[in-house]
Amino acid sequence: MVATSRQIRPMDRLKRALLFFALGGMVLLAGCGKREGDSGAAPNAFIFARGADAQKLDPADVDDGESVNSLAQVCEGLVGFKQGTLEVVPVLAESYEISPDGLAYTFHLREGVRFHDGTPLNAETARFSFDRQMDPDHPAHFETASFQYWQNLYSAIESLETVDPMTLRFHLSEPNAGLLGALASFPAWLVSPGAFEKYGQEMIFHPVGTGPYRFLEWRPSEAILYERNPDYWGQAAGFERLVLRSIPLNTSRLSELLAGNLHGLDGIQPSELSDIQTDPRFQILHAPGMNIGYLAFSQLSGRMQDPELRRAVAMAIDRENLVRLALDGYGTVAAYPAPKGYLGIPDDAGPVRFDPEAAKALVAAHPEWTEQPITLATFGQPRMYFPDPQRFASLIRNDLEQAGFRVEIINREFKSHLHTTRRGEFEMALLGWIADTPDPDNFLSTFLHSKAAAVGSATNISFYRNPEMDTLLDDALTRTDPAARAALYRQALDLWARDLPLVPLVQADQIVVLDRHIGGYKLSPTGNHFFGPAYWKTDDNGQAADE
């Protein structure tokens, strides 16, 4: 079941009024175009716009950024990433220990925390979120869910133990060097077992966590509304309400910001930044992104199984041109299928080189490649790695046609594109990945391990299956010595370069635009938005105050 097709229950009068107020006219003052904050009064709702809506609201069974960002306001894990960094810190656990052999992780839970429905946090209520993923017979292990992250990130967890009412222990079948970072990521965020008792399978549309905001209402393709959690165990959220609006068109999103109807947005095309760089009403937050935008070749498509064809396509693409024209310089060429700076990822130009003459020679030698156009699947909504996906597709088509290929672009709505690519029903496709954890396995196994190539839920959308690659990646995860892990990842990269099931294209920068009065927010290396710390900053004159 997907969010855009579910039946929406009537909202109660209060929630309907709140959403109307938040979306309708809370920012503009009638007749003058001034924003509420410029009058000196802090707004009681923070309104942020993105280019697409969430798909579902179950942290255990999502893999798209908009769903994760929607949940990030509501849910938390035993551990998390320190704001603005990839440093793992205790969150719902006050402390933790890892056994010397790496086979037991023990978490001591924070006292006095309650889920938004009043359910107390303890070892039993915490383990619900893990048991339901691990146990196929668990009543909350829904048949419609894939729980793909459990297999990809947490498969080393053999069992859970309730040591005492406030202590939870994970027992592993083998050491896993990436597990702590994985437990800080969204699939390990906790949801209340009371939500399952109340909503059953519909809990995927009614998230109940412990975070700074409580979920109120979801209007698919329009907005998600939250309210401040008055019982939050940490620092209170900076606004009474939070609204995440979905505005697919980049130009419309920017127009809404310029008109004063938003306090922030993402997914902006870099070329549009010139409209706001000199506007004193806004601040631009910008940093390198931990993401990879790539071109995948489906191994389930007959002619894409030809390694020479894949190599010809790779050599024909001018990736520097993609950075220059599609990112306006806000990013870099992706040399490998994981970002630079990750363990085992070389700091060089990589094995894929732009060689249009060699590509032309290969195409000329294989007239059968051009008997029918090669299809290139893309999508319309902006993502961090592809702020304008159709622009990327057009530039790639031009490069391939210069080499002698015939190319047909197929453009779909993002959700439909995901459905198609997860089934391998394409020849070439554009997609990307944003870091969930600070571990190279989060990219390499996601792209290249056969366990990630299940039809219908694949993240290895090339459907590349190589037992040698699987062994290298599995072995690397069990190594605690960074040098030994790095050596195994370099061998895996050699296999990738030989077989080339996908071509890394770009590593795009993160760009978020906020009202100048917004303080407390920091860009996350994972690309997630955590709006709990955001607040409205003013001085005595109602103007933006320096932090």
Side-chain angles (χ1 to χ4, degrees):
M1 183 179 294
V2 294
T4 53
S5 64
R6 71 187 181 100
Q7 182 176 0
I8 306 301
R9 295 187 177 91
M11 290 185 290
D12 63 56
R13 183 175 302 173
L14 172 61
K15 290 180 181 178
R16 185 180 297 276
L18 288 175
L19 187 56
F20 174 82
F21 177 69
L23 295 181
M26 65 172 300
V27 185
L28 283 179
L29 296 178
C32 65
K34 290 177 66 179
R35 298 190 303 172
E36 185 175 345
D38 291 335
S39 70
N44 60 6
F46 175 51
I47 306 177
F48 188 88
R50 66 264 185 93
D53 198 3
Q55 296 190 51
K56 62 177 71 171
L57 297 177
D58 181 356
D61 190 42
V62 298
D63 66 356
D64 66 292
E66 305 307 349
S67 297
V68 174
N69 284 328
S70 302
L71 288 160
Q73 321 315 319
V74 173
C75 298
E76 301 169 306
L78 300 174
V79 292
F81 298 118
K82 183 178 179 181
Q83 189 186 17
T85 77
L86 290 174
E87 177 187 350
V88 177
V89 295
V91 180
L92 294 179
E94 286 188 315
S95 62
Y96 61 87
E97 300 101 33
I98 303 174
S99 63
D101 61 5
L103 296 179
Y105 287 59
T106 303
F107 294 89
H108 305 281
L109 304 183
R110 194 176 295 276
E111 299 277 356
V113 177
R114 289 185 177 273
F115 291 91
H116 299 154
D117 61 359
T119 301
L121 174 70
N122 55 45
E124 284 298 327
T125 56
R127 67 177 294 169
F128 167 82
S129 295
F130 302 101
D131 285 338
R132 63 181 290 252
Q133 297 184 64
M134 185 170 62
D135 180 5
D137 296 322
H138 193 283
H141 189 93
F142 305 134
E143 291 184 2
T144 55
S146 67
F147 299 114
Q148 65 190 49
Y149 274 89
W150 188 265
Q151 178 64 28
N152 294 348
L153 295 180
Y154 310 104
S155 58
I157 298 175
E158 194 170 52
S159 64
L160 281 79
E161 175 189 0
T162 303
V163 179
D164 61 46
M166 297 302 291
T167 305
L168 182 63
R169 180 172 294 150
F170 295 79
H171 293 280
L172 277 62
S173 58
E174 59 185 3
N176 185 306
L179 183 62
L180 189 63
L183 288 172
S185 188
F186 65 87
W189 291 347
L190 305 188
V191 294
S192 173
F196 173 64
E197 294 172 5
K198 181 176 181 178
Y199 298 109
Q201 189 161 332
E202 287 289 295
M203 69 177 278
I204 68 175
F205 304 119
H206 300 274
V208 179
T210 60
Y213 283 103
R214 298 190 301 203
F215 170 81
L216 278 181
E217 191 66 44
W218 183 7
R219 300 188 74 178
S221 302
E222 293 183 24
I224 301 178
L225 179 67
Y226 309 81
E227 67 178 357
R228 180 189 288 145
N229 175 14
D231 303 314
Y232 187 51
W233 61 269
Q235 181 178 351
F239 293 89
E240 290 182 22
R241 289 188 290 277
L242 169 67
V243 180
L244 299 184
R245 291 183 61 185
S246 301
I247 306 177
L249 290 178
N250 287 356
T251 52
S252 298
R253 213 160 48 254
L254 181 58
S255 295
E256 287 285 277
L257 180 75
L258 294 173
N261 295 327
L262 303 173
H263 299 117
L265 57 77
D266 65 5
I268 190 169
Q269 295 181 34
S271 61
E272 296 172 331
L273 288 175
S274 58
D275 294 332
I276 56 178
Q277 283 175 329
T278 58
D279 192 326
R281 297 177 299 168
F282 305 111
Q283 53 181 313
I284 300 172
L285 283 66
H286 165 247
M290 304 301 281
N291 60 77
I292 298 290
Y294 63 91
L295 176 73
F297 306 103
S298 175
Q299 301 303 290
L300 303 185
S301 168
R303 58 178 166 175
M304 290 298 115
Q305 296 174 12
D306 184 343
E308 287 294 290
L309 187 153
R310 301 197 299 269
R311 193 158 303 279
V313 169
M315 291 190 297
I317 298 173
D318 186 349
R319 295 180 295 167
E320 292 282 359
N321 198 48
L322 296 179
V323 172
R324 183 169 57 254
L325 297 182
L327 294 178
D328 283 82
Y330 284 88
T332 60
V333 169
Y336 293 92
K340 288 183 180 179
Y342 272 46
L343 180 69
I345 306 303
D347 186 17
D348 59 33
V352 179
R353 304 299 174 91
F354 177 49
D355 192 342
E357 295 307 316
K360 287 180 183 178
L362 278 173
V363 174
H366 293 274
E368 71 276 12
W369 291 352
T370 58
E371 290 176 359
Q372 297 292 329
I374 295 176
T375 56
L376 171 58
T378 189
F379 51 96
Q381 288 72 30
R383 317 302 292 175
M384 183 189 301
Y385 41 82
F386 293 145
D388 187 350
Q390 295 174 68
R391 175 69 167 151
F392 276 89
S394 178
L395 290 169
I396 290 170
R397 177 180 61 188
N398 291 344
D399 286 344
L400 297 183
E401 289 179 343
Q402 288 293 318
F405 285 105
R406 298 166 60 199
V407 180
E408 176 187 354
I409 293 176
I410 299 176
N411 185 50
R412 297 184 175 92
E413 185 270 335
F414 184 65
K415 184 169 65 178
S416 176
H417 182 70
L418 284 181
H419 176 80
T420 301
T421 55
R422 286 170 177 166
R423 302 183 66 83
E425 296 171 349
F426 64 93
E427 289 190 309
M428 302 188 302
L430 292 175
L431 203 57
W433 191 259
I434 303 171
D436 300 313
T437 78
D439 196 275
D441 185 76
N442 185 232
F443 282 87
L444 298 182
S445 285
T446 294
F447 292 153
L448 303 172
H449 201 296
S450 61
K451 69 183 180 184
V455 174
S457 62
T459 57
N460 172 1
I461 65 168
S462 300
F463 289 86
Y464 171 71
R465 298 182 176 99
N466 183 335
E468 186 180 0
M469 177 68 78
D470 293 348
T471 298
L472 287 169
L473 295 176
D474 290 341
D475 194 8
L477 262 186
T478 67
R479 302 298 182 98
T480 56
D481 175 22
R485 290 192 77 201
L488 290 168
Y489 286 134
R490 284 192 289 271
Q491 292 181 53
L493 291 175
D494 289 342
L495 276 184
W496 156 75
R498 184 195 72 187
D499 297 341
L500 213 61
L502 62 85
V503 181
L505 299 174
V506 297
Q507 185 175 337
D509 291 353
Q510 292 188 71
I511 304 173
V512 171
V513 180
L514 296 175
D515 186 290
R516 65 186 176 119
H517 295 82
I518 300 297
Y521 173 84
K522 293 183 179 179
L523 293 173
S524 167
T526 62
N528 300 142
H529 297 309
F530 298 94
F531 292 126
Y535 66 93
W536 191 263
K537 53 177 183 174
T538 59
D539 59 20
D540 292 338
N541 297 318
Q543 301 301 310
D546 293 333
E547 291 189 295

